[in-house]
Amino acid sequence: MNLYLIVFLLLAAGVLAEWRRPEWERWLYPLFWGLLTALLMFRFGQGTDYVTYHATYLTIPLQVDWSAGYICGYYPEIGWRLLCAAFKLAGVPFWGFSMVLGAADMLLLHRFLKKYVPMKVAGLFFSFPVLYVVYLVSGLRQGLAICIFLGVALPFYLDRRLLPYVVSVLFAASFHKVGYAWLVLVAVGYLPVELMLAGVGLAAAGGLLLHVDATKQILINLMPVYHLKQFLLEGNVSLFAVGERLVSFGVIGILYMQKEKREEDRPREQILKAYLCGVCFYMLMCGNAYYASRYAVIFKVLECVLIVWLTEEREKLTKLAALFFFCLTLLMGVKNLQAAAKEGNYLKQEVNVFTYPYISVFHMDKINDYYDYTKRLNGKYEILMEDQIPQMTEE
């Protein structure tokens, strides 16, 4: 049976136990954090992008130079290339690199949960469907960038130490360029929450306008940029994702409006504004689900703070809201695990959310029961090789 699913369901039970007996958190949280960390560190071949990252790791050159080509001339981002090169110089195989990366991700996530989420088991649970399954298990570069934001940049932001915040965001963006979107928070931090709430409606109207063919043609003629063309012409709308974002936003907005405001809640209001910024991003870009999810998820991971904060009083309304988010997270967790099973392209056996295999570094050859790992790795290597050769021409 799917080990990720088993741990996720146990984690859901842990949330209920933590809700009923808050004092149990002191042993429940280390237990579940340890389980999730072990699953992440000791996996092999798990995640839709694992093989691609393995091939990328093999093709990254050990020689580092400071030409324009090496710094910005080819994929992936320079921070990731330098990190991989350092591990390769030390003779670390990719599975060892992945283990260290998984431990670092979870330590950064722990720092975030410890500082900002009173119910840390719930924080792990609400982070599981998107952050853990999609980005820590599979999207390694973006997962690392998100964890750096949560564990390093966010504390600077909430302390209004803007220079260290900008530096740490740029560092995170050196691993994945979506991190540059966090720079917008420097300005957002000065806006009132009510304006951000209204901004969601404006962003939704803008998203609808961008969906009009005439608007697309005008923008493409004004800015004939590759990514803009791809965003406007090749995307599609995910109605499920739009609905999930809007309903979650609606519930959080209602809870915030009825909550008594206190001076000590200022940092969480800043987190709320960052989350609302993500909702605005998603609604504005909802015409292309790929781009919308990429640039909005970096703010959506803050949702776990808001859910715990806004339901802490345990009145009738907040209890209903807590139940809603609990059920929604269960749904999203199972859905994303099913997507991981489907997108894994397992060829030799039928794989679904219940039979999704957990292959560990101790039994790496087991992956061949599901597909020829070496053949797939070599295929990815050949495709990526040309992209990994730095262009040494100075411009």
Side-chain angles (χ1 to χ4, degrees), residues 4 68 86 92 117 126 159 161-162 167 206 210 220 232-233 236 240 246 263 274 280 286 340 369:
Y4 294 103
V92 179
V117 186
F126 292 126
D159 290 341
R161 298 171 63 188
L162 295 184
V167 171
L210 288 175
I220 290 171
L232 292 174
L233 301 179
N236 54 70
F240 178 86
L246 285 176
E263 184 63 30
C280 291
C286 64
D369 293 343

Side-chain angles (χ1 to χ4, degrees), residues 200-246:
V200 174
L202 294 175
L208 290 174
L209 185 61
L210 288 175
H211 207 57
V212 177
D213 289 338
T215 306
K216 294 179 181 180
Q217 293 303 320
I218 291 172
L219 290 174
I220 290 171
N221 290 331
L222 288 174
M223 296 178 289
V225 181
Y226 168 76
H227 281 292
L228 181 62
K229 290 181 179 179
Q230 191 177 44
F231 166 68
L232 292 174
L233 301 179
E234 298 183 16
N236 54 70
V237 181
S238 172
L239 294 177
F240 178 86
V242 171
E244 187 270 332
R245 294 297 197 288
L246 285 176

Side-chain angles (χ1 to χ4, degrees), residues 56-57 60 64 66 70-72 74-87 97 101 140-141 144-145 148 169-177 180:
T56 303
Y57 185 79
I60 286 175
V64 175
W66 302 106
Y70 190 90
I71 294 171
C72 58
Y74 73 106
Y75 165 88
E77 288 81 349
I78 188 171
W80 186 260
R81 272 183 276 135
L82 293 174
L83 182 64
C84 290
F87 275 81
F97 170 73
L101 187 67
L140 306 188
R141 289 186 302 122
L144 177 59
I148 291 171
V169 164
L170 293 176
F171 177 67
S174 75
F175 297 103
H176 200 291
K177 58 182 175 293
Y180 291 117

Side-chain angles (χ1 to χ4, degrees), residues 180-380:
Y180 291 117
W182 291 316
L183 293 174
V184 74
L185 294 185
V186 174
V188 167
Y190 294 100
L191 301 177
V193 174
E194 291 73 18
L195 183 59
M196 294 300 300
L197 289 168
V200 174
L202 294 175
L208 290 174
L209 185 61
L210 288 175
H211 207 57
V212 177
D213 289 338
T215 306
K216 294 179 181 180
Q217 293 303 320
I218 291 172
L219 290 174
I220 290 171
N221 290 331
L222 288 174
M223 296 178 289
V225 181
Y226 168 76
H227 281 292
L228 181 62
K229 290 181 179 179
Q230 191 177 44
F231 166 68
L232 292 174
L233 301 179
E234 298 183 16
N236 54 70
V237 181
S238 172
L239 294 177
F240 178 86
V242 171
E244 187 270 332
R245 294 297 197 288
L246 285 176
V247 173
S248 296
F249 156 72
V251 175
I252 287 174
I254 291 170
L255 290 175
Y256 173 77
M257 296 304 290
Q258 63 85 42
K259 186 176 181 62
E260 181 182 352
K261 309 303 184 291
R262 298 172 298 186
E263 184 63 30
E264 59 266 30
D265 288 333
R266 293 268 182 200
R268 287 171 180 157
E269 287 187 355
Q270 291 294 97
I271 291 176
L272 173 62
K273 286 189 281 186
Y275 164 77
L276 293 174
C277 184
V279 179
C280 291
F281 271 32
Y282 194 92
M283 298 313 300
L284 188 61
M285 297 188 289
C286 64
N288 188 311
Y290 173 80
Y291 278 89
S293 61
R294 279 262 172 139
Y295 285 91
V297 72
I298 56 180
F299 301 101
K300 184 174 173 60
V301 293
L302 299 172
E303 203 171 62
C304 64
V305 179
L306 304 176
I307 295 170
V308 174
W309 170 46
L310 295 171
T311 60
E312 64 184 353
E313 293 179 1
R314 304 195 181 186
E315 298 174 352
K316 184 175 182 180
L317 177 62
T318 55
K319 286 181 179 179
L320 287 174
L323 179 61
F324 163 76
F325 282 114
F326 180 81
C327 294
L328 179 63
T329 303
L330 277 176
L331 173 64
M332 294 300 297
V334 174
K335 172 185 172 293
N336 288 348
L337 285 173
Q338 175 61 34
K342 182 179 179 181
E343 294 169 7
N345 296 316
Y346 296 107
L347 303 177
K348 297 181 181 179
Q349 293 190 30
E350 183 67 27
V351 174
N352 56 42
V353 69
F354 299 107
T355 60
Y356 185 63
Y358 182 82
I359 312 297
S360 76
V361 295
F362 305 109
H363 302 92
M364 290 184 281
D365 58 318
K366 288 278 188 182
I367 197 71
N368 295 309
D369 293 343
Y370 297 90
Y371 62 82
D372 189 333
Y373 186 85
T374 302
K375 181 179 179 180
R376 185 176 292 186
L377 177 64
N378 291 338
K380 294 287 186 182

